[in-house]
Amino acid sequence: MVRQLIKTKLHLLYLEGGERMNRHLARSIFSFFTFAIFAYLTFEVVRFATTYLIVEARIGLFLFHRLLALALFVFFAIISIANILVGFVTVFRNTEAEFLHTLPIKPVEIFLARFLDSFLYSSALMLILVLAAVSGYAAFFKDPFTAAVGVFLSILPLILSAACLGVIVL
């Protein structure tokens, strides 16, 4: 199902010509370096802010974690709104979706592929930034195990539930 959609998309890219593929490759390389710079800067800002708030300002761990919970709530709201907007564009206002409905592919499979496409478009940067932020948090507390468990048990379900909420509202 998804394999056939990927195969069809690659075939369409091939039919459009090599020039578009070269532009796509150049854009992907530029995006990778841009995301890497943002991730590094996020890591440094979170590490600096954590150090300042706990060591210099001495706000305490309780208040620090309350601020962190507030930041995660704002993060959830932003991801939900972004998923609604990107989902609308990738699922409904896309000529490729109309073309895919003419192929012998089930509509459920098209929706699933478009949902994953929407999820990756709207949540990829936020996921990269959250991973960098959690790494900065773990660097201060010198506890990488807690950071890894925190990402997989709290942050990833938060992003996925925001994506599902975006699709439900859509």
Side-chain angles (χ1 to χ4, degrees):
M1 102 180 157
V2 175
R3 186 182 325 147
Q4 185 178 4
L5 287 173
I6 292 172
K7 185 178 173 182
T8 304
K9 193 163 188 160
L10 289 175
H11 183 68
L12 288 173
L13 280 173
Y14 174 74
L15 291 177
E16 289 178 0
E19 182 179 316
R20 180 173 167 134
M21 290 180 72
N22 288 338
R23 278 187 289 168
H24 181 68
L25 181 64
R27 192 176 338 149
S28 296
I29 291 171
F30 180 74
S31 295
F32 173 77
F33 284 117
T34 304
F35 289 163
I37 290 169
F38 274 114
Y40 176 73
L41 291 175
T42 302
F43 170 79
E44 288 298 327
V45 165
V46 168
R47 191 169 58 94
F48 172 77
T50 304
T51 303
Y52 176 76
L53 288 174
I54 292 177
V55 176
E56 298 294 324
R58 295 187 190 120
I59 64 168
L61 290 177
F62 179 75
L63 184 57
F64 175 74
H65 286 101
R66 287 290 179 165
L67 289 172
L68 191 63
L70 181 64
L72 286 175
F73 175 73
V74 170
F75 168 72
F76 177 76
I78 290 171
I79 289 289
S80 297
I81 293 170
N83 275 307
I84 291 169
L85 295 175
V86 172
F88 177 72
V89 171
T90 58
V91 174
F92 295 112
R93 304 214 13 118
N94 193 345
T95 57
E96 184 183 23
E98 294 173 9
F99 173 72
L100 289 174
H101 281 290
T102 63
L103 298 175
I105 302 172
K106 296 177 185 174
V108 173
E109 294 173 358
I110 294 172
F111 179 77
L112 179 63
R114 301 311 291 172
F115 170 74
L116 291 175
D117 196 23
S118 170
F119 175 72
L120 293 175
Y121 275 139
S122 63
S123 303
L125 179 62
M126 290 302 239
L127 182 61
I128 290 169
L129 294 179
V130 165
L131 288 174
V134 169
S135 298
Y137 176 84
F140 176 79
F141 287 106
K142 297 175 181 57
D143 191 9
F145 177 74
T146 303
V149 170
V151 167
F152 289 112
L153 293 181
S154 63
I155 304 299
L156 288 179
L158 180 78
I159 293 173
L160 188 61
S161 64
C164 291
L165 179 68
V167 169
I168 289 170
V169 169
L170 183 65

